Amino acid sequence: MRITKHRQEILDVLDHSEEALSASAIHASLPHINLATIYRNLESFVEAGTITKLNLGGEEAQYEIQDEPHHHAICNECNKVIHFTVDDEKLVKEFALPGFLITNLEVTLRGTCATHKTKTK
Amino acid sequence: MRITKHRQEILDVLDHSEEALSASAIHASLPHINLATIYRNLESFVEAGTITKLNLGGEEAQYEIQDEPHHHAICNECNKVIHFTVDDEKLVKEFALPGFLITNLEVTLRGTCATHKTKTK
DNA sequence: GCTATAATGCAAATCATTCGCATTTAGTAT
DNA sequence: ATACTAAATGCGAATGATTTGCATTATAGC
């Protein structure tokens, strides 16, 4: 994969972001890059394993740099995504299914984040 | 929510299906019901908690009857979805995040199902 | 049965994502 | 440095899933 200025910029934006970003969010930060190009590059990065594509529910997919493997907790109120890690090895053992070879483990929690906890009925 | 013939048919199809179905799959089984109506009803059922909407990766969302809570293992080769259960209570304790109130727990495994295990490189 | 309201069909509108194709550019060989 | 080839871009149009507006019809209560 070639190292183009665009690709560097896209990775840069993702790298400096605390949260996962959608293609359009990236495009908002880099309006000079065509949206189709952003999609194409994101896809390339996902294939290369550089970033991860998240389908957390609704409309747009979110993308994030693949640092260490982690999981996601999503606030029902504000859709904020919090990262957390657990002992994946251990979980994989717990989840052992007959005949199923686990290559990837994804835990998604839904709930209420600290900021909105009090507001919950 | 009114009990209409259409709604009963849709639930029936989901009830008799081993796997989660997409809106278009349901429409294929019930071609006399308008696709928009199917979408509207699926949404109502989700709100009512009767069914669950799954966003397992790609294109279409999948819907399934909400029996007992369970999780999903998806085969990378054939996209078959296998259900499994674990001790959710226990996991919630393990995952405890400071300031985050967990209301829902979703585990998604990716890997290779029994049928395709041998074919993996 | 009569009525008010929710459900349905249909077609058009949205929205995210993808594609085709002509043009430009990175990486490489000359 | 210069020329070349394949990959990367931009742009606009195409797709595909899902939603919406609105006129029509059916359901639940009276």
Side-chain angles (χ1 to χ4, degrees), chain A residues 1-5 10 25 27 42 45 47 55 58-59 66 71 82-83 92-93 103 110 113 117 119:
Chain A
M1 178 158 70
R2 291 185 183 170
I3 302 166
T4 69
K5 190 168 293 188
I10 292 171
H27 185 237
L42 288 173
F45 288 141
E47 281 173 21
N55 292 84
E59 349 42 77
Q66 183 58 45
H71 303 286
I82 299 164
H83 293 182
V92 165
K93 282 177 194 159
T103 59
R110 309 259 169 186
C113 74
K117 221 169 178 178
K119 296 176 189 167

Side-chain angles (χ1 to χ4, degrees), chain A residues 42-51:
Chain A
L42 288 173
E43 194 191 329
S44 303
F45 288 141
V46 170
E47 281 173 21
T50 315
I51 68 176

Side-chain angles (χ1 to χ4, degrees), chain A residues 14-15 17-18 49-52 64-70 83:
Chain A
L14 282 171
D15 219 357
S17 170
E18 285 301 305
T50 315
I51 68 176
T52 302
E64 65 181 14
I65 294 273
Q66 183 58 45
D67 307 311
E68 330 95 47
H70 59 259
H83 293 182

Side-chain angles (χ1 to χ4, degrees), chain B residues 50-88:
Chain B
T50 316
I51 67 176
T52 302
K53 180 178 184 176
L54 307 176
N55 292 83
L56 310 170
E59 347 47 72
E60 294 176 89
Q62 312 275 114
Y63 301 83
E64 66 181 13
I65 294 274
Q66 183 58 45
D67 306 311
E68 330 95 47
H70 59 259
H71 303 286
H72 301 93
I74 306 161
C75 178
N76 293 327
E77 309 292 322
C78 61
N79 291 308
K80 181 180 175 182
V81 178
I82 299 165
H83 292 183
F84 68 95
T85 58
V86 294
D87 186 338
D88 286 11

Side-chain angles (χ1 to χ4, degrees), chain B residues 2 4 6-7 34 37 40-41:
Chain B
R2 291 183 183 170
T4 68
H6 287 170
R7 294 221 234 260
N34 190 278
T37 298
R40 274 187 291 236
N41 284 333

Side-chain angles (χ1 to χ4, degrees), chain A residues 7 31 58 75 78 81 90 121:
Chain A
R7 295 221 235 258
C75 178
C78 61
V81 178
K90 187 180 156 201
K121 52 263 159 261

